[in-house]
Amino acid sequence: MSGSPLQILLTNDDGIDAPGLAAMREELTAVGEVTVVAPADNQSGVGRARNEFAVRRTHPWGYALDGTPADCTAYALRGLETDFDIVVSGINDGPNAGNYVVGRSGTVGAGIEAVFLGTPAIAVSSYHARDFFCHPPEEYDFSRPARVARALLERVQGTDIFDDVGLLNVNAPIDVPHPRLRVTNPLADYDQHVDHHEDTTLLPDGDTDQQLDDDETLVRLRDVSWPDTVGYENPFPARDEHRERYPVGTDRRAMVDGEVSVSPLSVHHGHAESQSLAGIVESLSEQIE
């Protein structure tokens, strides 16, 4: 690349010490100047949540922030003197696919915050074609998703793609040699399991001494991000069944087929036309005193 070096902001939601972020940083340093501003600890699943105050700590790569991924993006884009060309969020140690998951992902949330602040973004997540989740992350090699993200960034940077697209959401396999890249759309397929319990033994903090009053019940809300799966949200044991469930062109089908899913997203909550709603609002306007 000619001229000034590309200024890249790198963040994530797994925390600044996550192996996925380290792998992504190593690749991006060959493309431009990389500044890391990432959460001090794990902030998975927080979406685009924001805080008014956050403590900043100096880090050899930039800064660690006691805040959410969106906090990190907002701080870096408005609190640092660097004029960033693009934000890269990841690599997440697990996929972020499907409308519902994308909407609450901290990895994607950092990218959405960037777009609202006028900077294009790429969110990068990884998956394993057998294990599905890359957890614990220390046992996996994130170099392939990092190479995919770097190559994609080099191709799209300087084009007009971000004139129409705010955010590219990428899900790349870590264990598939030479994976095919496919443009996809996030598929809506989601359910919720609700359990009721009479004691607190299932609380994750292990506070078994907490007692419920007679009028209280412990409610457990469990996301079912891949309905009809066996095991912990892992669709791959039923690969053929889910290949038929998810159409070609969706992010989930790409993952079932071991491909790199690239979903171009508009993040500004676009307007939807509804003649029925227009009629209702007009009639209400005539009735309300």
Side-chain angles (χ1 to χ4, degrees):
M1 294 185 181
S2 60
S4 301
L6 194 66
Q7 295 294 331
I8 305 169
L9 170 63
L10 177 60
T11 189
N12 72 346
D13 75 354
D14 290 327
I16 199 165
D17 295 324
L21 183 138
M24 191 73 261
R25 178 183 175 273
E26 183 174 352
E27 280 293 324
L28 292 180
T29 53
V31 179
E33 294 186 1
V34 181
T35 301
V36 175
V37 180
D41 53 20
N42 191 298
Q43 294 286 319
S44 297
V46 300
R48 199 164 61 90
R50 290 291 313 281
N51 294 290
E52 183 176 1
F53 295 98
V55 176
R56 188 194 78 176
R57 297 181 181 87
T58 301
H59 187 277
W61 298 341
Y63 299 101
L65 207 68
D66 281 337
T68 68
D71 288 333
C72 294
T73 299
Y75 168 72
L77 294 182
R78 292 296 184 267
L80 299 179
E81 294 182 358
T82 304
D83 186 13
F84 291 103
D85 297 298
I86 194 165
V87 174
V88 177
S89 180
I91 299 167
N92 194 62
D93 62 348
N96 281 299
N99 273 348
Y100 181 85
V101 176
V102 167
R104 65 181 285 176
S105 161
T107 303
V108 177
I112 293 176
E113 187 74 16
V115 177
F116 271 103
L117 291 174
T119 303
I122 301 176
V124 188
S125 301
S126 61
Y127 71 93
H128 192 281
R130 183 190 67 250
D131 302 338
F132 190 50
F133 281 99
C134 306
H135 193 78
E138 294 78 12
E139 297 182 4
Y140 294 86
D141 179 5
F142 294 91
S143 59
R144 182 174 285 113
R147 291 194 299 270
V148 168
R150 170 189 167 181
L152 182 64
L153 185 153
E154 289 182 298
R155 287 292 187 92
V156 301
Q157 188 62 30
T159 69
D160 61 357
I161 286 178
F162 288 114
D163 292 347
D164 301 315
V165 174
L167 167 69
L168 295 178
N169 184 47
V170 179
N171 287 278
I174 67 173
D175 60 326
V176 178
H178 311 294
R180 171 177 177 166
L181 277 73
R182 185 185 295 275
V183 176
T184 60
N185 64 83
L187 184 69
D189 193 14
Y190 169 75
D191 203 349
Q192 181 78 199
H193 285 174
V194 179
D195 301 318
H196 298 82
H197 300 277
E198 299 303 322
D199 57 56
T200 60
T201 56
L202 293 178
L203 287 174
D205 59 7
D207 186 7
T208 57
D209 294 332
Q210 180 179 343
Q211 299 296 317
L212 296 174
D213 293 337
D214 291 340
D215 62 344
E216 293 180 327
T217 300
L218 177 65
V219 176
R220 183 183 186 188
L221 305 173
R222 292 186 292 148
D223 293 336
V224 185
S225 299
W226 292 69
D228 297 335
T229 59
V230 177
Y232 182 62
E233 297 182 9
N234 188 345
F236 296 152
R239 185 181 302 273
D240 293 337
E241 172 188 342
H242 289 286
R243 180 174 286 112
E244 297 302 318
R245 181 180 184 120
Y246 300 118
V248 173
T250 64
D251 52 1
R252 296 186 176 204
R253 175 61 178 266
M255 290 172 56
V256 170
D257 289 340
E259 298 174 333
V260 177
S261 165
V262 182
S263 295
L265 304 181
S266 173
V267 303
H268 289 108
H269 310 299
H271 176 73
E273 296 286 347
S274 172
Q275 293 301 318
S276 296
L277 178 61
I280 290 172
V281 170
E282 183 177 356
S283 64
L284 283 175
S285 297
E286 298 172 355
Q287 298 173 15
I288 295 177
E289 297 181 355

